[in-house]
DNA sequence: CTGAAAGCGCTAACAA
DNA sequence: TTGTTAGCGCTTTCAG
């Protein structure tokens, strides 16, 4: 009942169409330079269709030395909707080049990425941050022709932190707080965003942001809010919208209100941020462009072309709602 | 810089160890019945180690007719923590049997699952709901030996809807509302959960739930809330926590409060539900057991054994917070 | 105990 | 224009 039916091979199609395997291959792959009479071509196509023929991926890959598989490695647990949207965009962009994207969660007990890459025979591996040299090496060793993001790129792809801070500064805030994530898996990203905030503060001649780690507990958030108030912070950037939700709860817990007592900016524009109370101002960015650029870079390397250029950074923009 | 290094083949190892490819294969796979002198064995192992040899997945699969790849197909957006935890559990459980799990998002524009299965050469495909007959057929045709969940199983794995409704009914509510998701990708799951709610109502001798579709817009939610109040609904089950957040916003918009004016139960226990205002009562479930059972079923079929039994259902439980 | 040889399904030179 | 052949890297009889 769950046993597989025997695979249809190109031999079956050849027999059915009354031609040789070569002809089948040529027709189905649109081999350049070959001219096959329309009649034969049609016969082959029909036979393939009728039999439900699918070229056998392993054999094809073995022969051609390349698979059409791209592997996306996504960081640990709390994956927001923006990421899954990114995955979809990327999958779509890659599909346009006949590449299939699958993702691997870097779970604590999952097997190491290079192993996965090897068993899949992925041609490309894509991560969210550049891999360290050893991992990248291992990945190439495992057969990956492309590993993204390239190490030399600016890791702060999205400048989210900077945009958050500039929004607050532009609205007159002179003492900025930062709600850092408590989730260890998101540290690297959080560091990155915080750096953007710090830069913006420095450039505006302000003190560095007052950083508080805020987990998803109301009590924790309330503590942080108290601390910010003591430090005369008037505007807070949260690592992401989830953290911002916690801050919102902390503000409420203290009997304060946003934005009157504390202005707040989230990041990522998760769907629920619109239905927060009050609706959450946040920073959104278009992953479409990034996904497309990644896809292009992958294809460029796979086809021996030069990667076009460094990635265009998406332009994060503020979604102004009533929390600032 | 991103070009792949030449792959190390078993021939390389054989040469390095001064033996034949056969011996290499026998040693590295612990071929049964063969006894290789310890000395040779060691030489081979060391050579393989030194060269960083990895058996070439495609060739191995082509030869053996089976890959060690399992493919998990996850529905659209809500890559909530519960789901990603499930993925990790599953990956871990499968890894114990030398199977590698990767996941595929059934995005709108992604390529069809059977295609993905075929290009991967996955031996097993796992979904959240039984696939329809055509899809299952296509998957097997694409080479999958196992397709889960089996069609004959009870699809309402988690009984979430039932638990939500029973919670409200147990607290005296006699007219139940249901906040249905606006997300088309989640329809099947939503239908399923709604069915649980309806069943619970019927068994308690109540009218069927008053269903309203609620997107993630405050205005929409406010409308739904108005409708429920008109219909004398006192308790609402939301499809998931995100939808519940919208309902919360709708309640607030109307100047009402939870749970005084309307009780509310979410589902999935996403991290932010704890920091909702008021904190959201929700239904959580443990996917650990399901993951392990799936893994076992996969392995059972792959090794020609009988699947042990139908899956044990996880036991959803209410996380009582102040919205009910 | 080890090596030689066949063949998984496919594609790309080369022949016919 | 089509068919024949070789070989991708691996495992697995079958001889030696």
């Amino acid at each position: 009942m769950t046993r597989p039916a025997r695979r249809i091979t190109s031999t079956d199609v050849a027999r059915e169409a009354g031609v040789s395997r070569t002809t089948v291959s040529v027709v189905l792959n649109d081999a350049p330079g070959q001219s096959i009479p329309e009649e034969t071509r049609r016969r082959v196509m029909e036979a393939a269709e009728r039999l439900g023929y699918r070229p056998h991926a392993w054999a094809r890959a073995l022969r051609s030395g390349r698979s059409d598989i791209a592997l996306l490695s996504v960081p640990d647990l709390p994956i927001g909707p923006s990421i899954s949207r990114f995955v979809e965009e990327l999958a779509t962009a890659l599909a346009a080049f006949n590449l299939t994207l699958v993702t691997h969660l870097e779970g604590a007990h999952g097997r190491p990425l290079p192993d996965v890459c090897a068993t899949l025979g992925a041609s490309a591996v894509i991560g969210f941050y550049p891999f360290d040299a050893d991992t990248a090496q291992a990945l190439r060793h495992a057969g990956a022709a492309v590993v993204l993001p390239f190490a030399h790129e600016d890791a702060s792809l999205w400048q989210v932190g900077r945009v958050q801070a500039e929004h607050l500064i532009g609205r007159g805030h002179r003492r900025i707080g930062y709600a850092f994530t408590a989730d260890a898996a998101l540290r690297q990203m959080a560091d990155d965003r915080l750096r953007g905030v710090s830069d913006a503060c420095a450039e505006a001649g302000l003190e560095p942001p007052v950083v508080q780690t805020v987990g998803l507990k109301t009590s924790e958030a309330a503590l942080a809010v108290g601390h910010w108030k003591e430090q005369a912070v008037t505007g807070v950037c949260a690592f992401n919208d989830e953290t911002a939700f916690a801050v919102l709860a902390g503000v409420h817990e203290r009997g304060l209100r946003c934005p009157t007592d504390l202005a707040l900016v989230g990041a990522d524009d998760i769907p629920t941020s619109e239905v927060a109370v009050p609706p959450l101002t946040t920073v959104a960015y278009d992953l479409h462009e990034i996904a497309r650029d990644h896809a292009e870079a992958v294809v460029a390397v796979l086809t021996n072309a030069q990667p076009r250029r460094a990635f265009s950074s998406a332009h994060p923009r503020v979604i102004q709602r009533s929390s600032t």
Side-chain angles (χ1 to χ4, degrees), chain A:
Chain A
M1 170 202 80
T2 46
R3 314 266 51 230
R6 193 183 69 79
R7 290 286 298 244
I8 308 291
T9 79
S10 87
T11 309
D12 296 322
V13 179
R15 190 180 330 104
E16 176 87 6
V19 297
S20 78
R21 296 210 348 257
T22 308
T23 310
V24 171
S25 179
V26 166
V27 168
L28 264 49
N29 294 324
D30 266 338
Q34 308 281 355
S35 58
I36 301 281
E38 198 49 47
E39 161 64 11
T40 309
R41 176 181 216 76
R42 201 181 44 70
R43 272 223 313 288
V44 171
M45 304 282 260
E46 281 183 11
E49 176 69 25
R50 188 164 47 240
L51 267 46
Y53 169 70
R54 317 267 270 195
H56 201 305
W58 301 326
R60 183 205 279 264
L62 181 58
R63 177 62 234 225
S64 65
R66 172 182 305 171
S67 80
D68 293 328
I69 300 174
L71 174 63
L72 176 71
S73 175
V74 308
D76 232 3
L77 274 170
I79 311 199
S82 54
I83 289 193
S84 78
R85 173 137 177 265
F86 171 71
V87 177
E88 285 179 18
E89 299 275 13
L90 187 58
T92 306
L94 287 170
F97 296 101
N98 265 310
L99 290 167
T100 296
L101 183 76
V102 289
T103 79
H104 169 73
L105 283 180
E106 303 167 12
H109 304 290
R111 54 179 45 186
L113 187 61
D115 280 9
V116 176
C117 177
T119 49
L120 249 58
S123 290
V125 180
I126 304 169
F128 278 81
Y129 280 84
F131 298 101
D132 61 74
D134 286 350
T135 309
Q137 174 66 27
L139 289 173
R140 279 195 225 97
H141 212 100
V146 200
V147 175
L148 285 185
F150 301 126
H152 57 82
E153 283 163 31
D154 183 7
S156 40
L157 267 182
W158 306 322
Q159 301 275 27
V160 165
R162 167 178 294 275
V163 171
Q164 288 179 301
E166 284 173 352
H167 177 71
L168 288 175
I169 293 167
R171 295 175 73 90
H173 296 276
R174 302 237 111 11
R175 190 115 176 93
I176 307 295
Y178 193 80
F180 201 88
T181 182
D183 188 326
L186 299 174
R187 253 201 107 110
Q188 193 176 16
M189 198 181 295
D191 279 336
D192 197 50
R193 290 182 174 182
L194 173 53
R195 196 170 314 121
V197 173
S198 301
D199 288 352
C201 286
E203 283 167 28
L206 306 184
E207 299 280 304
V210 179
V211 179
Q212 292 281 288
T213 295
V214 178
L216 297 180
K217 301 275 178 206
T218 302
S219 55
E220 240 175 81
L223 240 48
V225 169
H227 195 258
W228 281 318
K229 293 305 286 183
E230 279 170 22
Q231 302 279 320
V233 165
T234 59
V236 169
C237 305
F239 161 66
N240 65 5
D241 287 346
E242 295 196 348
T243 305
F245 268 79
V247 173
L248 233 33
V251 167
H252 189 264
E253 171 89 355
R254 293 223 164 236
L256 304 176
R257 317 189 94 188
C258 282
T260 330
D261 301 301
L262 198 66
L264 179 62
V265 187
D268 295 348
D269 192 27
I270 67 175
T272 44
S273 58
E274 187 165 355
V275 293
V277 180
L280 184 62
T281 294
T282 186
V283 170
Y285 39 84
D286 187 8
L287 291 168
H288 186 83
E289 208 181 337
I290 294 181
R292 218 200 35 220
D293 286 352
H294 276 231
E296 269 176 21
V298 166
V299 172
V301 177
L302 250 36
T303 57
N304 285 313
Q306 280 303 311
R308 204 159 47 92
R309 57 189 166 87
F311 298 145
S312 62
S313 51
H315 306 297
R317 65 187 188 288
V318 174
I319 309 287
Q320 168 70 48
R321 290 196 273 251
S322 46
S323 76
T324 59

